[in-house]
Amino acid sequence: MGPRGVLFPAVPYAACPGQTRPWPGTVAIRPEIAVGYLADVIEGIVAAGFPRLLIVNGHDANMSTVRAAMEWVSGRRTASLLLVNWFQLVTPGETTELYGPLVSRGHGGAYETSGVLGFDPGAVRLGAVDDLPPKPKLPVTHPYVLVESRPDPWQGWSGHISLADEPAGRRVRELAGTRLREVVAAWVAAPPPAPPTADPLPDPAGDPAPAPAREPTEGEPTEGAS
């Protein structure tokens, strides 16, 4: 049967990137509000008796706010908090096998749209948008995060949306679900964390602690004596 858990309601609103906020129907909250709200929700669940909490995320912009909230709670409560982003559970190599060499990953691209088709085909109208050429990456191999006010090209989705289809979505769902089960099984089998503490960490240099003060013996001068 595997691990069992309690399913809490999904969070309906979150912080959205500035370049997607103007689209009709988008409801975004400020990042600082998102962090505080999530911190209260996570701490409330932990305080209710659930020291292990899995958060499954489907929105790139949530990664930083959820991580910040989890870090805050973990310093106040004994908790093991796991964040899994479903879109990272299928590798770029696997999406290349599904869609070919054209760009399929990215915001609202063929990969994400197929994922929706795998759950609810009626929620997607593929003919509503056209393919977009991908925004070129910087000519470096080093990791980086680039945030821009209005990327070009950018219409709210990425790449070759026409590559999305329901069979690919079912495969994405199967792969992501299998990986999620593997992550959860390894997480549950791991030992629980120690409680948070305000005590300082041990001296990494290994210097011995100072000797405790003692009363001077008879006839021994004290500090400052002449």
Side-chain angles (χ1 to χ4, degrees), residues 55-64 67 82-95 105-106 111-112 145 172 175-177 179-180 183:
I55 300 175
V56 180
N57 175 42
H59 179 41
D60 178 79
N62 286 342
M63 294 168 64
S64 56
R67 169 86 184 258
L82 178 64
L83 170 64
V84 178
N85 305 298
W86 81 261
F87 47 86
Q88 293 179 324
L89 293 174
V90 180
T91 68
E94 289 167 332
T95 52
R105 299 175 80 98
Y111 172 46
E112 289 189 352
V145 175
V172 166
L175 287 170
R179 308 279 164 72
L180 180 59
V183 172

Side-chain angles (χ1 to χ4, degrees), residues 14-105:
C16 293
Q19 62 265 33
T20 61
R21 195 172 295 122
W23 259 256
T26 300
V27 178
I29 59 178
R30 286 169 288 162
E32 63 271 24
I33 300 297
V35 172
Y37 173 76
L38 291 169
D40 285 350
V41 170
I42 293 170
E43 185 172 29
I45 293 173
V46 173
F50 299 94
R52 290 185 185 267
L53 177 62
L54 167 67
I55 300 175
V56 180
N57 175 42
H59 179 41
D60 178 79
N62 286 342
M63 294 168 64
S64 56
T65 54
V66 175
R67 169 86 184 258
M70 291 165 63
E71 296 282 4
W72 188 82
V73 174
S74 68
R76 295 167 51 87
R77 299 275 183 174
T78 302
S80 180
L81 309 172
L82 178 64
L83 170 64
V84 178
N85 305 298
W86 81 261
F87 47 86
Q88 293 179 324
L89 293 174
V90 180
T91 68
E94 289 167 332
T95 52
T96 299
E97 291 179 7
L98 285 170
Y99 303 105
L102 295 177
V103 175
S104 59
R105 299 175 80 98

Side-chain angles (χ1 to χ4, degrees), residues 121-140:
V124 178
R125 291 187 297 121
L126 290 175
V129 298
D130 299 320
D131 289 349
L132 288 176
K135 179 177 173 58
K137 295 184 178 297
L138 300 180
V140 297

